[in-house]
Amino acid sequence: MIKTQLLTVNAIGNVLAGANLTGVLRETWRKNTMLSSQQRGAIQDLTYGVLRYYSQLDTLLQSLLHKPLPDRRLHYLLLVSLYQLNYSKAPVHAIVNHAASSARMLAGNRGASGLVNAILRNFIRQQEMLLAQTKQDETARYAYPQWWIDKLRQQYPQHYAGILLAGNQHPPMTLRVNQKQITVSDYQARLQACAIDSEWLWGSALRLTRPVAVEQLPGFAEGLVSVQDAGAQLAAPLLDVGAGMRVLDACAAPGGKSTHLMELADIKLTVMDKHAERLTMLQENFTRLKMPDYQLICGSALEPSQWWDGQLFDRILADVPCSASGVVNRHPDIKWLRRPGDIETFTQTQRIMLRKLWPLLCRGGKLLYATCSIFSEENNLLVTEFLSDHEDARALPCTHETIIHHGQLLPSTRHDGFFYALLQKN
Ligand SMILES: C[S@@+](CC[C@H](N)C(=O)[O-])C[C@H]1O[C@@H](n2cnc3c(N)ncnc32)[C@H](O)[C@@H]1O
């Protein structure tokens, strides 16, 4: 337990210093090969939990401190303990005792352990009143930075509170059945035979009642199924691919949407990504799913002159790099790592990418612009501007029960947040 807490404290410190959570945990596993799967699971749960509720826990802690703690790691340790006291079922005395022992290890003296013990006991005595106080402060109540709350309130006056709360939920585990190999109902029966309950959402999407390790999924290694959010599964059907079409996936790695395109029709696919190491993940996915031939390019969608052979494409998927504000349920670190100015940096890249890819599309062809963002600067505002500058482009409706006005899919307990704009060349 103490080792788990200390590694969690370390991971949180690294993320709050600016590192990406997935990378931090990967590094933790690499350096601590002796950790059991239970210990890894506990570190993951605590790290995700603290980052999900960071500003709420920090507000609670500030109200318990008379002056800053001598060591930042003690601060993070207390955040972990407050998270456990508020959101876990662990016995209160065990949480406090472990925190006190961890504090002694961290600071190397008994004073730290007494201080941590006193702060946590003080919290337990006043828990109800302190929690009620956090409701007065928006950043604490919603557990997001103020600029994020303000932006969403301005852009979604009706929905912003629901969006913020949805981003704090545990994400569902959703599967995409490879319909080239098995039907959805047959695969659901295979799941049931393994005592894994699932619910059909739409298309090839099955949401599991409880997440399981991928190794437990029947036929996973043989490519019967992939793990992919249900919102992400809307992209490939929207692009409306047919046999023999030349299709470009311009920002393809790790290949979630491009493998889906391949499952829908026998297309001539070119997959590209700027990052070679991400293309390795893509290749592994293509191999596992037994995908037929495809063209692989490591290159930039911002510079088609470096790699394009001059043959037009019938379909283009531009799943551009973005703020990822629609997937904070899976990546809670994003809330604290992003700065307001980052959005403008993303939109500059997105704007150029869309303009550079457009000439590669044939007449009558379709381009799907996609983000996993809920900020309108990266989405409908950017596409509206593009349409006003391009007379040969028109927006086709993105129809699906979940997609609201202007192609926006808002995050919910069933799926992540995405934006889709389907553009056709006249
Ligand atoms: C949203 S992710 C793509 C997810 C992918 N479509 C899927 O469904 O699995 C965006 C991708 O764009 C890539 N990328 C970033 N800048 C790029 C550029 N200039 N050209 C091509 N790819 C780029 C990133 O490496 C990242 O893999």
Side-chain angles (χ1 to χ4, degrees), residues 228 249-257 272-275 278 299-302 319-321 353:
Q228 188 182 36
D249 187 347
C251 300
K257 299 186 185 74
M272 188 178 70
D273 204 277
K274 190 174 136 181
H275 297 112
R278 287 179 63 83
S300 172
L302 296 168
D319 189 13
V320 297
M353 241 177 218

Side-chain angles (χ1 to χ4, degrees), residues 10 65 80 245 277 310 343 358:
N10 220 14
L65 297 178
V80 174
M245 282 185 180
E277 71 288 359
I343 311 307
W358 188 247

Side-chain angles (χ1 to χ4, degrees), residues 299-340:
S300 172
L302 296 168
E303 294 176 298
S305 61
Q306 301 289 313
W307 48 266
W308 186 41
D309 64 5
Q311 289 192 64
L312 296 167
F313 291 98
D314 302 296
R315 297 285 184 270
I316 296 178
L317 175 58
D319 189 13
V320 297
C322 71
S323 65
S325 52
V327 294
V328 292
N329 55 350
R330 295 180 198 278
H331 305 282
D333 51 326
I334 286 172
K335 297 196 280 187
W336 317 111
L337 296 180
R338 293 274 177 270
R339 299 284 171 263

Side-chain angles (χ1 to χ4, degrees), residues 52-53 144 162 164-172 328-330 412-413:
R52 201 164 268 144
Y53 294 107
Y144 285 80
L164 293 169
L165 296 175
N168 288 339
Q169 301 300 310
H170 284 266
V328 292
N329 55 350
R330 295 180 198 278
S412 78
T413 50

